[in-house]
Amino acid sequence: MMRPNVVVLIAAALAPPAHGIRIVQSNDDGWAELYVRTLNSALRAAGHAVVLAAPAEDMSATGSRDEPPAPRAGPCEYASCPPRAGPVGSNATRPDLTWVNSFPATSIRYGIDSVGPRLWRGAAPELAVTGPNVGTNLWLSVLISGTVGAACFAAHDAGIPAIAFSGASAQRAAWDVSPVPNRSIVYAQLATALTNKIVASGKPYLPEDVFLNVNFPKVEGACTNATDFKWILSRINPGTFSRPDVEWCDSTRLPTELSVAGRDGCYISVSIGDASDKTTVNDGRQKVVLDKLRDMLVCLP
């Protein structure tokens, strides 16, 4: 469980959402990874009802694989569940924290179909949030990312708007590490801020079959507080031969997320992805998302 002082620190840095909603959460690094747990605490502190359904162990680079959970032989990652614990299990005191012995897409499916409705009296999730991934998911790596795969399952297969978060500070840590590293707190603050922005924009939170692919730079140097970071609207793939993007920053071609990640500065790339094929949405849905996020976005210098 997150230490109370950390929860207060996270909550104090966040603008409250217009109202709390039901969120299903997953990742591909495992249910006991620190980043996903810190974000879980931040979302709950911001007033949202959140269920976490994530792999029992690290399932990075498994894309959209989806197979029935199998019984475990050994313990979950970081010894977070005992050996021979079955195919699915939950925290003993927090039934909203669930591990699934399968892939990220399978895990979020379980959260959508089982964990959420069980705890929400039959109600479905209103938004899916995955990550923050330990490490970035940019361009070609988007195709194999389990964190992205889970978000795309939610948006494409389950019809739930989804956001996939990833962070360039790639040090792994267990859910109960103390003190909580600043990188985990900052990523949770930023992810919650964008989530709250999408929620405050009203339903539908995102257009049909759309997910947001969000990549945070490293938390270091001049980028150590949530207020240091700036949000950049971007695209996943270069799009050299695709039709023009939405007009923004005096251009009809959005910068690629790779180019944003390569800039000096505290720039966060926010790409509008097509959940059916994990490429850039290149139609009127870009404008819908731009209008939702317009007042928090800046242009690259």
Side-chain angles (χ1 to χ4, degrees):
M1 185 175 294
M2 189 67 60
R3 270 69 66 199
N5 62 320
V6 175
V7 172
V8 171
L9 177 61
I10 292 171
L14 301 170
H19 64 280
I21 67 167
R22 297 181 301 276
I23 295 176
V24 63
Q25 187 188 14
S26 193
N27 71 349
D28 70 7
D29 297 300
W31 85 306
E33 184 62 45
L34 179 63
Y35 281 175
V36 76
R37 293 295 188 91
T38 309
L39 177 55
N40 181 274
S41 292
L43 291 170
R44 294 175 69 232
H48 302 293
V50 190
V51 296
L52 170 66
E57 59 190 12
D58 183 8
M59 285 289 178
S60 297
T62 53
S64 294
R65 293 184 66 181
D66 183 7
E67 297 179 9
R72 289 192 62 78
C76 297
E77 66 176 352
Y78 304 120
S80 55
C81 79
R84 297 177 295 281
V88 177
S90 297
N91 182 285
T93 59
R94 290 275 307 277
D96 54 297
L97 300 176
T98 298
W99 57 264
V100 180
N101 193 38
S102 188
F103 301 105
T106 310
S107 300
I108 204 166
R109 177 201 291 272
Y110 190 83
I112 293 167
D113 293 344
S114 181
V115 185
R118 184 173 70 245
L119 297 178
W120 297 328
R121 299 181 180 180
E126 297 169 274
L127 183 70
V129 172
T130 62
N133 191 75
V134 181
T136 56
N137 281 307
L138 301 162
W139 193 18
L140 294 178
S141 64
V142 167
L143 299 175
I144 63 170
S145 165
T147 293
V148 172
C152 288
F153 176 87
H156 181 67
D157 297 90
I160 299 169
I163 311 172
F165 294 104
S166 302
S169 291
Q171 302 94 322
R172 297 184 63 87
W175 67 276
D176 59 350
V177 67
S178 182
V180 175
N182 185 51
R183 64 182 186 275
S184 191
I185 295 172
V186 170
Y187 285 162
Q189 291 171 337
L190 293 168
T192 303
L194 183 62
T195 299
N196 286 348
K197 181 67 174 176
I198 289 294
V199 171
S201 74
K203 292 185 176 181
Y205 296 129
L206 291 172
E208 185 177 354
D209 229 4
V210 161
F211 77 101
L212 299 185
N213 191 49
V214 181
N215 279 275
F216 303 126
K218 289 185 177 181
V219 177
E220 63 181 20
C223 309
T224 55
N225 296 296
T227 53
D228 297 328
F229 292 78
K230 298 177 177 63
W231 304 86
I232 306 295
L233 194 65
S234 58
R235 56 181 294 121
I236 296 170
N237 49 298
T240 306
F241 301 107
S242 64
R243 61 186 178 181
D245 290 320
V246 63
E247 185 172 356
W248 179 240
C249 297
D250 298 321
S251 175
T252 55
R253 179 61 72 212
L254 296 173
T256 65
E257 51 194 19
L258 273 176
S259 68
V260 175
R263 290 290 189 104
D264 290 334
C266 313
Y267 297 115
I268 304 166
S269 64
V270 183
S271 296
I272 306 165
D274 189 326
S276 68
D277 62 9
K278 304 177 185 177
T279 63
T280 300
V281 164
N282 197 216
D283 54 33
R285 290 174 291 176
Q286 283 185 328
K287 176 66 162 50
V288 174
V289 176
L290 171 59
D291 287 344
K292 285 176 173 285
L293 302 180
R294 186 182 298 269
D295 61 0
M296 73 184 296
L297 297 170
V298 302
C299 302
L300 282 175

